[in-house]
Amino acid sequence: ILNVEQSPQSLHVQEGDSTNFTCSFPSSNFYALHWYRWETAKSPEALFVMTLNGDEKKKGRISATLNTKEGYSYLYIKGSQPEDSATYLCAFKRGSTLGRLYFGRGTQLTVWP
Amino acid sequence: DTEVTQTPKHLVMGMTNKKSLKCEQHMGHRAMYWYKQKAKKPPELMFVYSYEKLSINESVPSRFSPECPNSSLLNLHLHALQPEDSALYLCASSPLLRDSTDTQYFGPGTRLTVL
């Protein structure tokens, strides 16, 4: 069993606050780390795929960093908006392209107006 | 077309029923996946098809039977399920890029309830 841990489990912030959450994964045999945003009753939406140690990715107000040596990734949201409310999932892939994704349980973000 | 569709959205079935879940993508992706998600748990991989052939079966009970009739379609046939099989079933597809950036794109899932 491969453990992917996400923290915190849930987060409530006010509109305009910046926030960040963590994904921890095994550092051995790393292949890729994925971040998804999942709104209720919708499909999980791919945010980032990160493959190299020190990678930084950005999409609008959302950014992510990757440390493969110590096995963690941070997701940052700057100036949170109510439409950012969703569950943010990370998924670790090891070995190869056809390797399975190991998901964390997600961080549920609620942004209050 | 950049989405993965799944039908039905909801399904209620008895333990003696036979039903099927359907997944479709028109992005030209060469790999398709079935995941199962129980409440408050992470999605767990069930099956992977690559180039229409079953590549991975994560020791799933035979009451779940996957089928990939062509590169755009993926079915999951259900027979003699148990109440503990009630879950959200997610389908995904990916282009099968040769580098590590291959990304899985998900459908919205089928919420299955077994009575």
Side-chain angles (χ1 to χ4, degrees), chain B residues 21-109:
Chain B
L21 309 185
K22 181 179 171 181
C23 173
E24 198 163 359
Q25 58 87 13
H26 294 287
M27 296 178 276
H29 288 175
R30 308 310 298 185
M32 296 187 78
Y33 310 77
W34 281 115
Y35 287 84
K36 173 181 177 179
Q37 190 192 29
K38 301 278 282 181
K40 307 286 186 189
K41 295 283 180 71
E44 291 185 350
L45 184 68
M46 300 174 73
F47 302 105
V48 181
Y49 274 83
S50 63
Y51 296 97
E52 300 164 46
K53 289 189 173 17
L54 184 64
S55 300
I56 297 176
N57 176 343
E58 291 283 342
S59 303
V60 179
S62 60
R63 58 186 184 268
F64 295 91
S65 174
E67 179 198 19
C68 189
N70 60 58
S71 59
S72 302
L73 273 177
L74 184 66
N75 297 320
L76 187 63
H77 302 298
L78 314 171
H79 174 54
L81 294 194
Q82 304 296 310
E84 59 264 29
D85 296 321
S86 299
L88 180 70
Y89 288 83
L90 289 162
C91 173
S93 69
S94 74
L96 263 193
L97 301 176
R98 291 187 180 186
D99 62 28
S100 51
T101 62
D102 192 66
T103 296
Q104 293 179 26
Y105 296 85
F106 284 83

Side-chain angles (χ1 to χ4, degrees), chain A residues 45-104:
Chain A
E45 174 198 355
L47 286 175
F48 304 115
V49 54
M50 309 181 79
T51 58
L52 298 174
N53 186 43
D55 249 355
E56 290 189 28
K57 300 274 186 174
K58 189 172 180 184
K59 186 176 183 177
R61 292 178 292 98
I62 305 178
S63 60
T65 61
L66 178 68
N67 183 324
T68 60
K69 293 185 193 307
E70 295 181 43
Y72 64 83
S73 176
Y74 294 138
L75 189 80
Y76 301 92
I77 303 179
K78 186 177 175 182
S80 304
Q81 299 296 308
E83 58 265 30
D84 295 328
S85 298
T87 296
Y88 291 82
L89 285 172
C90 71
F92 166 77
K93 183 185 279 190
R94 67 178 178 184
S96 67
T97 290
L98 206 51
R100 59 174 290 183
L101 284 178
Y102 295 85
F103 282 88

